[in-house]
C-alpha cells in the first residue's frame, strides 16, 4: 500500500526499513544517512551564504527559492525522524481486523482507492523525474565545459578554474537536489496516500452499514430466535461504531503528524508561486530556463493541490456518511439499533477537518486562496 513512498524515503536517508533488525544493517544505514545529510546540508549552507553575498536581487531571489525548498525538505525529513514511532502506529491502524476488507465488495472498494493512490504516485513520479532531469542533469550535458554551468549559482569557497573542482561541485549539487526531490516526492505521495486510505475507510464503513440490515434479514429468514438476532445486531453495531471512531483516530493522528509540515509547505508555496509566476512573465522566449521554472511551478501547485483536494474529500465523506446511513434499510433494526444509528448520525454532523498549522483548513477553498494570494503578491512585485 505504501511501498513506493517509503522506498524513496529509504533512498533519501530519512527512513530505515522496519524489517531491519540486524545491528550491522542498522549501523550501515545510519552511516548512509550521515553521508546523505552531510551532502544535503553542506549544499544548504552554500545557499544560505549565497543569499547573503548575492551580487544582485535576481540571484538572491533565485537562491532564496531553492533555499526555501531545501528547508521545506529538511523539515519533512526531521518530521519522519522525530515521529517515526507515531508514523508506524498510524500505519498499523490500517492493518487490523477492524479496518481490513472482509467481503468481496469491500475488497473492490479497497482496490479502487489503492489504484487511485498508485496512479497519483506514477503521475507525481513522472513530473518530479522530468523536473529533476531538466533542472539538474540536462545542463551538464547541453552546456560547454568552458562555461562551468552548475545546478545553482550558490556560494563556493573556491574557484572552478580546475575542471576537477567543477565536476566535484556539480556532482555535490546534483546529489543534494536529488535527495531533496526524493524527500519532497515521497512526502506528497505518502500524505495524499494516507488521505486516500482514510477516504477508503469511509466507503468501506458505508458498505458495512448497507450490509447490516441485509445480514439481520437473512437471520430472520433462517428463523433465528429474536434474542440471537438482537445479540448479533448489538455486536455488529458496536463494530460499526468502533470503525467510525477508528477513522476519526486516523484523521487526528495524521493531522498531528503532518500539521506543521503542510503549514510550512503552504507558506513557502505562496512565495515560490508568486516568484515563479513573475519569472515566467519576465522571460521573453520559451527556453530551457522557462521550461525549468514552469516545471517547478507545476510541482508546487500539484503539491498543495493534493493536500487540499484530499483534505476536502475527507471532510465531505465524513459529512456524507450521515446521509448514507439514513439511506440503509434502518426499518429492519430494533429500537435500540435505530437509536444507536441516530447517535452515529449526530456524530457525523461534526465533520473531520484537517488543518495546516491549526490555521488553514485543507479544502478546495484553501487552494484557491493560496493561488489568489500568490497572484496578489505577483501584482505587487510587477508593479
Amino acid at each position: 500500500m505504501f511501498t513506493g513512498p517509503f522506498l524513496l524515503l529509504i533512498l533519501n536517508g530519512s527512513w530505515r526499513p522496519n524489517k531491519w533488525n540486524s545491528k550491522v544493517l542498522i549501523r550501515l544505514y545510519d552511516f548512509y544517512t550521515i553521508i546523505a545529510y552531510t551532502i544535503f546540508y553542506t549544499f544548504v549552507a552554500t545557499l544560505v551564504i549565497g543569499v547573503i553575498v548575492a551580487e544582485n536581487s535576481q540571484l538572491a531571489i533565485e537562491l532564496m527559492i531553492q533555499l526555501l525548498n531545501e528547508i521545506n525538505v529538511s523539515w519533512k525529513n526531521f518530521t519522519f525522524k522525530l515521529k517515526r514511532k507515531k508514523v508506524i502506529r498510524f500505519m498499523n491502524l490500517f492493518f487490523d481486523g477492524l479496518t481490513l476488507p472482509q467481503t468481496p465488495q469491500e475488497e473492490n472498494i479497497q482496490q479502487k482507492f489503492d489504484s487511485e493512490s498508485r496512479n497519483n504516485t506514477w503521475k507525481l513520479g513522472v513530473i518530479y523525474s522530468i523536473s529533476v532531469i531538466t533542472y539538474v542533469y540536462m545542463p551538464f550535458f547541453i552546456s560547454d565545459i568552458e562555461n562551468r554551468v552548475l545546478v545553482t549559482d550558490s556560494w563556493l569557497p573556491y574557484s572552478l578554474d580546475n575542471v576537477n573542482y567543477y565536476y566535484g561541485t556539480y556532482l555535490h549539487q546534483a546529489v543534494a537536489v536529488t535527495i531533496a526531490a526524493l524527500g519532497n516526492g515521497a512526502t506528497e505521495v505518502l500524505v495524499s496516500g494516507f488521505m486516500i486510505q482514510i477516504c477508503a475507510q469511509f466507503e468501506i464503513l458505508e458498505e458495512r452499514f448497507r450490509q447490516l440490515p441485509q445480514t439481520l434479514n437473512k437471520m430472520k429468514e433462517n428463523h433465528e430466535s429474536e434474542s440471537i438476532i438482537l445479540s448479533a445486531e448489538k455486536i455488529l453495531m458496536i463494530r460499526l461504531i468502533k470503525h467510525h471512531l477508528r477513522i476519526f483516530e486516523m484523521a487526528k493522528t495524521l493531522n498531528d503528524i503532518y500539521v506543521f509540515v503542510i503549514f510550512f509547505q503552504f507558506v513557502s508555496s505562496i512565495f515560490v508561486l508568486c516568484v515563479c509566476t513573475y519569472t515566467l512573465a519576465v522571460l521573453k522566449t520559451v527556453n530551457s530556463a522557462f521550461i525549468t521554472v514552469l516545471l517547478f511551478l507545476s510541482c508546487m501547485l500539484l503539491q498543495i493541490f493534493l493536500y487540499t483536494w484530499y483534505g476536502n474529500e475527507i471532510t465531505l465523506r465524513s459529512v456524507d456518511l450521515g446521509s448514507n446511513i439514513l439511506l440503509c434499510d434502518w426499518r429492519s433494526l430494533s429500537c435500540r439499533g435505530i437509536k444507536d444509528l441516530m447517535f452515529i448520525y449526530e456524530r457525523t454532523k461534526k465533520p473531520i477537518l484537517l488543518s495546516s498549522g491549526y490555521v488553514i483548513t485543507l479544502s478546495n477553498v484553501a487552494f484557491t486562496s493560496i493561488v489568489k494570494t500568490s497572484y496578489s503578491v505577483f501584482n505587487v512585485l510587477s508593479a
Side-chain angles (χ1 to χ4, degrees), residues 51-118:
V51 171
I52 296 172
V53 302
E55 298 177 354
N56 54 70
S57 58
Q58 181 65 29
L59 177 59
I61 291 174
E62 291 175 2
L63 293 177
M64 180 61 73
I65 293 175
Q66 185 67 46
L67 180 60
L68 278 174
N69 185 54
E70 306 308 317
I71 293 174
N72 194 13
V73 174
S74 299
W75 182 245
K76 291 173 181 177
N77 292 342
F78 177 73
T79 299
F80 278 108
K81 286 289 186 182
L82 183 65
K83 299 185 178 182
R84 176 185 173 89
K85 292 182 179 179
K86 199 167 188 177
V87 172
I88 293 174
R89 286 199 301 270
F90 172 71
M91 289 191 299
N92 289 336
L93 295 176
F94 293 95
F95 297 102
D96 63 11
L98 197 62
T99 53
L100 285 174
Q102 304 294 328
T103 64
Q105 292 86 350
E106 293 177 12
E107 287 283 356
N108 291 334
I109 292 172
Q110 186 65 60
Q111 289 175 8
K112 179 183 72 173
F113 284 93
D114 287 347
S115 177
E116 182 177 355
S117 183
R118 283 193 297 270

Side-chain angles (χ1 to χ4, degrees), residues 34 76 78 117-118 132 163 201 224 310 343 347 359 361:
I34 292 172
K76 291 173 181 177
F78 177 73
S117 183
R118 283 193 297 270
V132 170
V163 70
Q201 289 301 313
E224 299 286 353
Y310 288 112
F343 277 123
R347 181 65 182 86
V359 176
T361 301

Side-chain angles (χ1 to χ4, degrees), residues 253-288:
T253 305
L254 178 64
N255 202 59
D256 290 343
I257 294 173
Y258 295 109
V259 59
F260 290 111
V261 168
I262 299 174
F263 177 73
F264 192 83
Q265 179 71 62
F266 278 24
V267 172
S268 60
S269 294
I270 292 175
F271 178 79
V272 172
L273 287 176
C274 67
V275 173
C276 286
T277 306
Y278 177 75
T279 304
L280 291 176
V282 170
L283 292 172
K284 304 297 183 182
T285 58
V286 179
N287 50 25
S288 60

